[in-house]
Amino acid sequence: MYMDAVVFAGIATVLLMIGFLVAVGVFVMRDAKHQREGQGKVPRNPTGKPV
């Protein structure tokens, strides 16, 4: 296969997309864990709204 600038750009684009999706997945997993740990610790007034 002939490796020119277009092929390198395509490979770089695919790697960047995969890296972005992995980073978003890691962020979502950490945020979900943080939300679970913090659940029930928010003080609420009698109307049910956060203080």
Side-chain angles (χ1 to χ4, degrees), residues 8-34:
F8 286 127
I11 292 171
T13 301
V14 170
L15 291 176
L16 285 171
M17 286 188 294
I18 291 171
F20 176 76
L21 291 174
V22 168
V24 169
V26 169
F27 173 78
V28 168
M29 288 177 63
R30 286 186 180 176
D31 188 54
K33 181 179 178 184
H34 178 72

